[in-house]
Amino acid sequence: MPEVRLPEVRLPRPSGPHPAGVRDIEAGPLLMRVWYPAAADAGPPRPYAAGSERDLLLEWTARRNPAWPPATTTALLAAALTHDHRDAPALPGPHPTIVFSHGADLYPGQNTALMTELASHGYVAVSVLQRGGGFAARPDGSRLESGEPLFAAAVDLFARLERLTSLGADPDARHDWYADLWENGRIVPLVGQWRDRMIAVGDALAAATPDGPFGDLAGVCDLARLTYMGMSLGGSAAVSAAQADPRARAAVNLDGMHLAPDLFGRPARVPVLGLYADFQGAGHHSDLFYEEFGRTGLRGDVVRVKVAGAAHRDFTDLALLPGKQRLDHLGSVDGEGVTRLVGALTLAFLDRFVEGGTSGALPLGDGAELIDVSHVRAWRGRGTS
């Protein structure tokens, strides 16, 4: 019988001038995976997930995606070789710094391709485990997993989202939906906890010393060039963290619905980039946030982009799975293409608003287009008084 060769998962090669280092750090209650510009390569690239981390990824597949055959999906991802180098020496800094949060019931390494790309361009990217809201293996191999409070909050939120979908683009009805969410929604306290944990990472970086858990990463993180970034629930928490932390210079939200009241019809303190899955019609979930209602869409530093053919999980490494168009929760967009597009848009945004680079249009195209939110400016309902 001829041998059946399984397809491979190939993570895109980073485009920046620096090799990327990676290490796992546990500092008190914070469990983090850190990507950073390395002074030199240190050994061969690592597999995407091994040991307990691989086990957790395959168990997640069985729990959340029972129709996915693991052998041709996440097992292939786990076996893929990354383009980062474990425990490579850090390139002396200071370097602009990103604090990242995974999505609900996901994991700190869920955007390894993007984090490696950012590190290759000189960024330190610190991805923190939201304890109880995701899964990871600790440095000693023991496991941390999602918990019942997250699952209960998610069930409540999904039921509410069904009603929100039925409301269409009516701003008054959506205004009332959000008011009820913030009074009664079980997800709202979790968003605050996730925000606070992200800010705690910034505090830990500020206090880091070379003889502590951060080692030679202490002192290379420039918190005057701090960005908060996240995906899904982590994206909502990231923008809230940037709003609350005066050190922050920008926020990046990867397809996260904003679930806190802090920026409802209120101007964001920092520039915000939102990259979102494809949708049809008006009434996108980002359009009532980050700006005053009467000026929505007028700020040049609040950028909302949708990606044609992209679904929610296309903003993670899961987009790289072979044959993903046949898998639920993933869209028709090319996996490597959307991964490179998210990296290019993020880098261009940060170069302009954090690094002070030249102005100009972000690199749209390849299915990316600005979201029209002009209908909110024309709203004269009760939320605009």
Side-chain angles (χ1 to χ4, degrees), residues 9 80-81 98 109 122 124 138 141 145 169 235 245 247 268-269 271 315 324 332 360 377-378:
V9 172
L81 293 180
I98 297 166
V124 176
R138 299 172 67 187
E145 302 181 50
D245 186 351
R247 297 171 297 198
R269 190 185 62 81
F315 295 89
K324 76 178 189 70
S332 61
R377 291 201 302 275

Side-chain angles (χ1 to χ4, degrees), residues 22-63:
V22 64
R23 67 185 63 162
D24 293 332
I25 296 174
E26 191 166 13
L30 300 174
L31 180 61
M32 298 159 282
R33 177 159 292 174
V34 185
W35 289 264
Y36 53 92
D41 294 350
R46 63 184 177 89
Y48 184 89
S52 295
E53 189 173 11
R54 179 184 186 276
D55 294 343
L56 284 164
L57 183 59
L58 296 185
E59 290 168 18
W60 172 86
T61 307
R63 182 176 76 250

Side-chain angles (χ1 to χ4, degrees), residues 102-133:
H102 57 80
D105 197 26
L106 286 171
Y107 55 104
Q110 66 164 61
N111 285 87
T112 291
L114 176 59
M115 300 296 109
T116 306
E117 171 74 354
L118 294 171
S120 81
H121 285 270
Y123 288 84
V124 176
V126 184
S127 181
V128 62
L129 173 69
Q130 299 286 4
R131 289 191 180 233

Side-chain angles (χ1 to χ4, degrees), residues 94-250:
H95 304 297
T97 300
I98 297 166
V99 174
F100 180 85
S101 174
H102 57 80
D105 197 26
L106 286 171
Y107 55 104
Q110 66 164 61
N111 285 87
T112 291
L114 176 59
M115 300 296 109
T116 306
E117 171 74 354
L118 294 171
S120 81
H121 285 270
Y123 288 84
V124 176
V126 184
S127 181
V128 62
L129 173 69
Q130 299 286 4
R131 289 191 180 233
F135 57 91
R138 299 172 67 187
D140 64 5
S142 59
R143 299 154 50 117
L144 295 170
E145 302 181 50
S146 302
E148 182 56 34
L150 173 73
F151 298 138
V155 169
D156 176 70
L157 178 62
F158 292 151
R160 292 172 180 277
L161 289 175
E162 289 186 10
R163 179 171 179 271
L164 178 65
T165 300
S166 71
L167 301 178
D170 181 356
D172 282 317
R174 292 166 64 211
H175 176 279
D176 293 344
W177 183 91
Y178 278 109
D180 182 68
L181 171 72
W182 293 323
E183 183 174 353
N184 300 303
R186 300 180 69 169
I187 199 72
V188 177
L190 293 183
V191 177
Q193 294 167 19
W194 285 37
R195 173 203 62 207
D196 293 345
R197 189 172 288 110
M198 297 183 78
I199 294 173
V201 172
D203 295 339
L205 292 171
T209 59
D211 59 349
F214 288 94
D216 64 355
L217 292 173
V220 306
C221 299
D222 185 357
L223 298 184
R225 293 181 287 167
L226 173 64
T227 298
Y228 286 103
M229 181 177 185
M231 181 265 176
S232 192
L233 182 59
S236 175
V239 186
S240 289
Q243 187 74 0
D245 186 351
R247 297 171 297 198
R249 293 282 300 278

Side-chain angles (χ1 to χ4, degrees), residues 23 26 117 125 145 270 277 325 327 329 353 377 379 381 384:
R23 67 185 63 162
E26 191 166 13
E117 171 74 354
E145 302 181 50
V270 299
Q325 289 82 4
L327 302 175
H329 307 297
F353 294 111
R377 291 201 302 275
W379 179 28
T384 61

